[in-house]
Amino acid sequence: MTLLWTPDLELGISVIDSQHQRIVDYINQVDHSRQTASAAELAEVLDELVDYTLSHFAFEETLMEEAGYPFIKAHKKVHQLFTKRVDAFQQRTKAGEDVTEELLHVLKAWLVNHIKRDDKDYSAIVIENMEAATERVKARKGGFFSRLFK
Ligand SMILES: [Fe+2]
Ligand SMILES: [Fe+2]
């Protein structure tokens, strides 16, 4: 079943929202390939999905760190545990087992839950930090130009 992108998955951080949307697209692509593509093509899409998700985790962790999010340790732990789970799936695939259906089920359930609960929790402080950074850039520019035209 196609995983739908719904407004309650949005954090209001466009860079993160588009990464989450991309992960949802990948999941749907895996779902589609499962029915139409060869085993090799499917394995390729699965690898891409895993790679993309892992780099998304790293990106998210940088944003949380920069914003001083107080629960970053716990959030990183959740990412790590999930990565281990995905690793286990990849090992089973290498051993010749077809884990696609199980993996898809886990990905869909985990991702939606993680975005709505854990990711949503850091959104306010990250938005605040990004806005403050934009303000600092504006203030610096203002200072520079006003000095220039004095
Ligand atoms: Fe996360
Ligand atoms: Fe996320």
Side-chain angles (χ1 to χ4, degrees):
M1 210 171 67
T2 307
L3 184 58
L4 289 177
W5 179 263
T6 47
D8 58 345
L9 288 169
E10 258 161 48
L11 300 191
I13 305 167
S14 57
V15 63
I16 293 289
D17 287 335
S18 38
Q19 289 180 6
H20 285 157
Q21 269 173 16
R22 180 102 187 260
I23 296 174
V24 166
D25 286 344
Y26 264 127
I27 292 176
N28 289 329
Q29 210 182 320
V30 170
D31 213 352
H32 182 73
S33 307
R34 188 166 63 113
Q35 291 147 20
T36 57
S38 68
E41 280 169 322
L42 175 62
E44 208 170 292
V45 185
L46 267 173
D47 279 344
E48 280 174 32
L49 164 65
V50 171
D51 282 352
Y52 190 81
T53 305
L54 297 189
S55 35
H56 164 69
F57 286 169
F59 183 81
E60 217 173 54
E61 287 168 13
T62 309
L63 284 189
M64 287 188 272
E65 212 162 289
E66 281 170 0
Y69 176 59
F71 305 111
I72 184 168
K73 250 186 154 174
H75 199 126
K76 273 186 172 176
K77 187 90 198 153
V78 173
H79 284 169
Q80 271 165 20
L81 286 174
F82 184 70
T83 307
K84 273 193 187 156
R85 259 176 107 178
V86 172
D87 271 353
F89 274 112
Q90 284 181 317
Q91 292 310 317
R92 284 168 59 194
T93 309
K94 277 186 194 133
E97 201 180 327
D98 181 7
V99 297
T100 322
E101 202 170 328
E102 202 184 325
L103 178 60
L104 268 174
H105 181 76
V106 167
L107 281 170
K108 284 179 186 173
W110 187 88
L111 184 80
V112 168
N113 193 40
H114 182 70
I115 293 177
K116 284 186 182 168
R117 205 190 49 200
D118 303 329
D119 287 353
K120 208 149 234 171
D121 195 68
Y122 73 63
S123 60
I125 197 167
V126 165
I127 290 172
E128 212 175 282
N129 184 53
M130 284 173 127
E131 282 172 356
T134 313
E135 285 307 313
R136 279 197 298 276
V137 169
K138 271 193 210 155
R140 259 206 306 276
K141 274 188 189 153
F144 174 73
F145 285 114
S146 55
R147 276 197 304 275
L148 206 70
F149 293 106
K150 248 177 203 167

